[in-house]
């Protein structure tokens, strides 16, 4: 069987003389390569001139991967900043030019609970996968999978995922399950492999920020968004939560249990259980948290700050995750997020709203008929699934 090799260049991974990594508990064989004394020698020797530290070349063999033609010549490496351009070239036109990875790649590399793995073939990057450990170390969250167009359909993704699973299990032995979010149609084989945690409808709309700002001024009266949307005079305006309120509402009470789908916070495709460690992860992000009522919440939402996407210089993405079934409250919070986050933008915005499937049609009608924005595609679903990590 051909070995699967991890080539890892890291300064924080120390290896004992017995060939076991003291920090990640992986049995390895290694060779320490001394760097040349100058950039000229470095380049001549085949090393990148910007690499100024000792390299530890580690080989990790996973004996249980199946033999397959797609494995021949595959090498796996921990991603670095220097790989960015090659990854972007391999990812060209992915998601129709709406790829989030260019904005998040650097922060992913800095996440202490995340590992980003590359697959190389003949020295070229052909695939990427990210594995993030959440839920107090019990869940591996899989994100960012992409395979170069010429390598798709050859089993590369499956081999890469299994390699990531083995690597994560070696570093985090308490991990029990793998979770991921999908937006494609699940088939019979998927149901044999995965358990469905929850589903949300995906509503994708497009608009120019300048035009939407004018439209919001027309439909929102001086009394505020709640007065324009509410059918009840006593309906309060949505409440933006600070960190203290987030901790109190999500962790010290059970008020959100009936609002969140399957007691799961889904933020920008990432599913989290209601745990202090997960809230700490979320609070490091730029997110607006909102509820209709802190004392008795019926609908909650989380909104990312706008981020640029590769489709063009003036294109932005905005993701809004909504939880609850009240259409009026959903519309109120949607307008609040739009007003807050598009006020200073100039250019095109793709806005993706994840919401209760039953709210998709009336919200789509509201977007088209009231806000005059474009519906990009018909109904699709976000499925959060999990499988046991064995």
């Amino acid at each position: 069987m051909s070995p699967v090799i991890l080539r890892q260049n890291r300064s924080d991974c120390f290896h004992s003389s017995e060939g076991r990594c003291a920090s990640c508990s992986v049995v390895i064989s290694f060779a320490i390569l001394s760097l040349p004394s100058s950039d000229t020698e470095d380049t001549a020797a085949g090393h990148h001139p910007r690499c100024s530290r000792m390299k530890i070349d580690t080989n990790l063999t996973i004996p249980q991967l199946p033999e397959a033609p797609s494995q021949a010549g595959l090498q796996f490496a921990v991603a670095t900043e220097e790989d960015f351009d090659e990854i972007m070239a391999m990812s060209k036109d992915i998601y129709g030019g709406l790829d989030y990875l260019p904005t998040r790649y650097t922060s992913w590399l800095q996440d202490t609970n995340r590992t980003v793995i590359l697959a190389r073939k003949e020295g070229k990057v052909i695939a990427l996968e990210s594995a993030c450990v959440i839920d107090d170390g019990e869940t591996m969250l899989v994100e960012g999978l992409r395979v170069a167009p010429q390598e798709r359909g050859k089993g590369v993704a499956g081999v890469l995922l299994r390699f990531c699973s083995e690597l994560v299990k070696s570093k985090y032995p308490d991990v029990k399950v793998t979770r991921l979010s999908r937006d494609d149609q699940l088939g019979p084989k998927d149901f044999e492999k995965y358990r469905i945690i929850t589903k949300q409808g995906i509503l994708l709309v497009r608009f120019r920020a300048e035009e939407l700002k004018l439209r919001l001024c027309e439909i929102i009266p001086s009394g505020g968004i709640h007065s324009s949307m509410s059918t009840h005079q006593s309906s309060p305006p949505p409440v933006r939560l600070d960190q203290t309120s987030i901790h109190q509402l999500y962790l010290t009470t059970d008020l959100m249990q009936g609002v969140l789908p399957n007691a799961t916070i889904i933020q920008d495709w990432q599913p989290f259980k209601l745990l202090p460690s997960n809230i700490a992860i979320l609070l490091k992000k730029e997110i607006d948290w909102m509820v209709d009522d802190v004392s008795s919440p019926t609908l909650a939402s989380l909104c990312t700050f706008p981020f640029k996407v590769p489709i063009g210089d003036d294109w932005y993405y905005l993701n809004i995750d909504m939880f609850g079934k009240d259409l009026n409250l959903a519309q109120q919070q949607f307008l609040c997020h739009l007003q807050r986050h598009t006020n200073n933008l100039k250019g095109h915005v793709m806005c993706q709203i994840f919401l209760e499937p039953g709210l998709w049609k009336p919200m789509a009608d509201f977007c088209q008929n009231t806000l005059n924005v474009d519906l990009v595609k018909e109904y699709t679903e976000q499925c959060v699934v999990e499988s046991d990590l064995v």
Side-chain angles (χ1 to χ4, degrees):
M1 178 177 294
S2 301
V4 178
I5 300 172
L6 168 68
R7 302 195 183 281
Q8 181 177 11
N9 301 326
R10 294 181 58 179
S11 60
D12 59 347
C13 193
F14 301 97
H15 301 88
S16 69
S17 59
E18 297 177 354
R20 179 176 293 272
C21 174
S23 63
C24 61
S25 303
V26 176
V27 179
I28 57 173
S29 62
F30 64 91
I32 298 177
L33 307 177
S34 300
L35 286 176
S37 58
S38 69
D39 282 353
T40 302
E41 294 175 32
D42 198 14
T43 304
H47 304 298
H48 197 289
R50 282 184 290 176
C51 296
S52 58
R53 297 177 297 181
M54 178 182 294
K55 293 183 177 180
I56 299 177
D57 189 1
T58 67
N59 295 336
L60 172 61
T61 299
I62 302 178
Q64 296 179 348
L65 290 178
E67 283 288 354
S70 61
Q71 286 188 49
L74 283 187
Q75 294 84 40
F76 296 88
V78 176
T80 68
E81 289 280 5
E82 287 75 18
D83 299 312
F84 178 81
D85 290 340
E86 194 174 359
I87 293 169
M88 292 304 104
M90 182 264 293
S91 306
K92 186 178 180 181
D93 296 328
I94 193 171
Y95 305 137
L98 302 175
D99 190 11
Y100 57 83
L101 190 57
T103 302
R104 298 177 188 169
Y105 183 73
T106 297
S107 64
W108 275 16
L109 297 185
Q110 295 170 350
D111 284 350
T112 56
N113 60 329
R114 183 188 298 274
T115 303
V116 183
I117 298 295
L118 304 178
R120 293 182 180 273
K121 187 175 183 180
E122 297 178 356
K124 295 181 179 180
V125 174
I126 63 165
L128 175 146
E129 180 70 283
S130 165
C132 182
V133 177
I134 59 172
D135 298 342
D136 286 346
E138 294 187 352
T139 302
M140 181 180 80
L141 178 61
V142 177
E143 296 181 279
L145 175 64
R146 59 202 53 212
V147 177
Q150 71 276 11
E151 298 295 336
R152 293 172 189 167
K154 300 179 181 179
V156 173
V159 175
L160 177 56
L161 179 58
R162 291 184 63 183
F163 179 83
C164 288
S165 299
E166 292 288 346
L167 183 62
V168 167
K169 282 198 300 182
S170 69
K171 296 175 67 176
Y172 303 94
D174 292 334
V175 170
K176 297 179 176 62
V177 298
T178 299
R179 278 194 176 188
L180 64 154
S181 298
R182 296 175 50 164
D183 65 348
D184 55 341
Q185 190 70 33
L186 297 177
K189 291 185 178 180
D190 295 313
F191 289 109
E192 294 176 4
K193 183 178 181 181
Y194 297 113
R195 298 181 293 273
I196 296 180
I197 303 303
T198 188
K199 293 182 179 181
Q200 292 275 82
I202 304 175
L203 176 59
L204 183 61
V205 297
R206 176 181 57 225
F207 52 84
R208 282 196 65 88
E210 299 92 331
E211 295 174 359
L212 180 67
K213 182 178 178 180
L214 293 174
R215 182 59 183 151
L216 291 176
C217 290
E218 293 174 357
I219 66 175
I220 298 175
S222 58
I225 290 173
H226 66 290
S227 62
S228 69
M229 300 303 306
S230 179
T231 57
H232 306 284
Q233 292 183 353
S234 60
S235 176
V239 180
R240 287 183 58 221
L241 302 176
D242 58 20
Q243 290 198 11
T244 301
S245 300
I246 293 167
H247 274 283
Q248 290 176 345
L249 187 58
Y250 282 82
L251 296 177
T252 65
T253 74
D254 59 0
L255 293 175
M256 296 305 298
Q257 294 284 344
V259 179
L260 298 172
N262 206 358
T264 303
I265 302 175
I266 310 169
Q267 194 279 318
D268 198 14
W269 296 92
Q270 298 178 322
F272 296 91
K273 296 179 181 178
L274 286 174
L275 296 170
S277 59
N278 288 337
I279 296 295
I281 293 173
L282 288 167
L283 289 178
K284 292 178 181 179
K285 303 182 179 185
E286 288 188 316
I287 305 171
D288 267 343
W289 301 61
M290 195 175 291
V291 294
D292 61 304
D293 184 352
V294 291
S295 61
S296 182
T298 302
L299 193 127
S301 58
L302 283 72
C303 181
T304 62
F305 284 40
F307 57 91
K308 287 193 171 184
V309 285
I311 192 172
D313 292 335
D314 61 345
W315 281 82
Y316 297 86
Y317 221 145
L318 190 65
N319 281 335
I320 303 174
D321 292 280
M322 290 191 164
F323 313 110
K325 300 180 180 181
D326 189 297
L327 175 61
N328 180 67
L329 297 177
Q331 291 173 345
Q332 286 188 34
Q333 294 189 28
F334 180 45
L335 290 178
C336 281
H337 289 307
L338 289 179
Q339 191 174 48
R340 171 170 167 76
H341 289 290
T342 63
N343 190 46
N344 297 319
L345 282 185
K346 292 183 179 180
H348 302 274
V349 179
M350 298 288 284
C351 182
Q352 192 166 222
I353 308 107
F354 304 90
L355 72 176
E356 167 71 24
L359 294 184
W360 189 93
K361 182 62 168 64
M363 279 291 282
D365 292 340
F366 174 74
C367 288
Q368 292 178 288
N369 301 329
T370 302
L371 297 182
N372 297 336
V373 301
D374 297 324
L375 182 66
V376 177
K377 60 181 179 180
E378 293 299 322
Y379 179 83
T380 55
E381 279 188 334
Q382 176 194 58
C383 294
V384 178
V385 297
E386 74 174 18
S387 62
D388 295 324
L389 195 63
V390 295

